[in-house]
């Protein structure tokens, strides 16, 4: 994205805030989340059942995977996804990095691998179209996530945010967001952090609607998705 470099170059500064301060968007954003997630689950229920059957049929393992992520104010929650990796993913990743030490730099920089050995064939398709993230509609209903917000991170990633972590922690992580519609894995991690900060600093309901409108074409283009 042409603005990625500009955003990444912005100076990162901390923003003191009280934990009693409501999340970005307040009742308006939360109300939209509840209505949107409920409608999504209802309308997409046939698709969700079909995807669940495909994941189960692929290797007989679990259908949904809940990964520990950091939410608003540092609260830990289980971020739900259709399982796209083999069941023993941690072991497979460790063995792969041990055999391919040159790939460790890519992993440590982005916490992702373009050719990830853990991903199943069905999982590869689900990730390409971002269909694996649809179970997060349940996270939204539970108040752990929002339709639009920063990408949910693990503790190791949050440490990469430095002082900008305060911006991330001030709002609920999102099913979609600026990073997802701006190239995803094709942009640097510094740019991703800058996107999150920019979103929090400039939030408006119209801004959320603009990101949602850009999400479908971004998903169909599959740019930076792996």
């Amino acid at each position: 994205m042409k603005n990625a470099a500009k955003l990444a170059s912005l100076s990162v500064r901390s923003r003191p805030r009280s934990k009693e301060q409501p999340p970005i968007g307040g009742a308006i954003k939360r109300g939209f989340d509840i209505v949107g997630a409920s409608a999504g689950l209802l309308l997409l229920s046939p698709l969700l059942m079909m995807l669940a059957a495909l994941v189960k049929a692929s290797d007989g393992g679990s259908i949904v995977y809940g990964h520990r992520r950091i939410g608003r104010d540092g609260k830990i929650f289980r971020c739900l996804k259709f399982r796209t990796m083999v069941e023993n993913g941690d072991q497979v990743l460790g063995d792969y990095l041990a055999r391919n030490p040159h790939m460790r730099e890519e992993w440590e920089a982005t916490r992702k691998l373009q050719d990830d050995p853990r991903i199943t064939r069905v999982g590869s398709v689900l990730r390409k179209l971002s269909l694996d993230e649809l179970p997060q509609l349940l996270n939204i209903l539970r108040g752990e996530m929002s339709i639009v917000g920063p990408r949910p991170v693990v503790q190791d990633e949050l440490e990469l945010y430095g002082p900008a972590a305060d911006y991330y922690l001030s709002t609920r992580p999102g099913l979609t967001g600026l990073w997802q519609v701006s190239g995803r894995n094709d942009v640097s991690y510094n740019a991703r952090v800058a996107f999150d900060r920019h979103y929090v600093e400039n939030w408006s309901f119209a801004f959320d609607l603009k990101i949602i409108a850009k999400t479908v074409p971004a998903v169909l283009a599959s740019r930076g998705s792996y």
Side-chain angles (χ1 to χ4, degrees), residues 40-89:
L41 285 171
L42 179 62
L43 295 174
L44 297 175
S45 56
L47 174 63
L48 293 171
M49 288 187 288
M50 182 189 73
L51 295 177
L54 285 173
V55 173
K56 188 66 177 179
S58 65
D59 61 7
S62 60
I63 294 172
V64 175
Y65 176 68
H67 197 272
R68 287 168 60 88
R69 298 295 173 105
I70 307 297
R72 177 177 172 257
D73 286 333
K75 295 178 180 177
I76 305 295
F77 72 98
R78 292 283 182 179
C79 184
L80 302 176
K81 289 187 176 187
F82 283 122
R83 184 175 58 83
T84 60
M85 295 184 178
V86 294
E87 298 268 24
N88 59 334

Side-chain angles (χ1 to χ4, degrees), residues 109-124:
T110 64
R111 292 299 190 274
K112 288 181 178 291
L113 294 172
Q114 191 158 358
D115 296 311
D116 197 318
R118 299 170 295 173
I119 299 176
T120 65
R121 279 189 285 184
V122 170
S124 178

Side-chain angles (χ1 to χ4, degrees), residues 9-41:
S9 67
L10 294 174
S11 60
V12 177
R13 60 184 183 277
S14 61
R15 186 185 63 132
R17 49 183 278 277
S18 166
K19 286 194 174 183
E20 283 69 39
Q21 183 178 345
I24 298 300
I28 294 175
K29 185 172 176 65
R30 180 62 187 147
F32 181 76
D33 286 342
I34 293 172
V35 173
S38 298
L41 285 171

Side-chain angles (χ1 to χ4, degrees), residues 2-219:
K2 62 183 180 181
N3 292 325
K6 179 180 178 181
L7 282 172
S9 67
L10 294 174
S11 60
V12 177
R13 60 184 183 277
S14 61
R15 186 185 63 132
R17 49 183 278 277
S18 166
K19 286 194 174 183
E20 283 69 39
Q21 183 178 345
I24 298 300
I28 294 175
K29 185 172 176 65
R30 180 62 187 147
F32 181 76
D33 286 342
I34 293 172
V35 173
S38 298
L41 285 171
L42 179 62
L43 295 174
L44 297 175
S45 56
L47 174 63
L48 293 171
M49 288 187 288
M50 182 189 73
L51 295 177
L54 285 173
V55 173
K56 188 66 177 179
S58 65
D59 61 7
S62 60
I63 294 172
V64 175
Y65 176 68
H67 197 272
R68 287 168 60 88
R69 298 295 173 105
I70 307 297
R72 177 177 172 257
D73 286 333
K75 295 178 180 177
I76 305 295
F77 72 98
R78 292 283 182 179
C79 184
L80 302 176
K81 289 187 176 187
F82 283 122
R83 184 175 58 83
T84 60
M85 295 184 178
V86 294
E87 298 268 24
N88 59 334
D90 290 341
Q91 179 182 340
V92 170
L93 176 62
D95 292 344
Y96 178 78
L97 293 178
R99 295 193 309 270
N100 301 276
H102 61 286
M103 300 303 298
R104 186 172 295 277
E105 183 177 349
E106 178 184 345
W107 171 254
E108 291 179 349
T110 64
R111 292 299 190 274
K112 288 181 178 291
L113 294 172
Q114 191 158 358
D115 296 311
D116 197 318
R118 299 170 295 173
I119 299 176
T120 65
R121 279 189 285 184
V122 170
S124 178
V125 176
L126 295 184
R127 282 178 168 236
K128 198 72 174 176
L129 298 174
S130 297
L131 295 173
D132 60 312
E133 299 180 358
L134 290 179
Q136 289 166 28
L137 292 169
L138 293 172
N139 289 120
I140 295 172
L141 285 181
R142 295 198 303 222
E144 298 162 337
M145 293 182 63
S146 179
I147 293 176
V148 182
R151 190 78 191 102
V153 300
V154 298
Q155 184 62 51
D156 288 348
E157 289 180 285
L158 190 62
E159 292 172 2
L160 299 176
Y161 275 59
D166 194 53
Y167 292 87
Y168 174 89
L169 296 171
S170 69
T171 189
R172 297 180 179 96
L175 176 62
T176 187
L178 268 182
W179 176 71
Q180 288 91 327
V181 301
S182 303
R184 299 181 68 171
N185 298 305
D186 286 343
V187 301
S188 69
Y189 209 94
N190 284 339
R192 171 174 167 173
V193 173
F195 285 139
D196 289 348
R197 196 192 97 187
H198 180 77
Y199 173 76
V200 172
E201 289 183 316
N202 297 276
W203 181 86
S204 70
F205 186 61
F207 195 14
D208 274 4
L209 293 179
K210 183 178 179 180
I211 292 172
I212 291 170
K214 289 183 176 182
T215 297
V216 173
V219 167

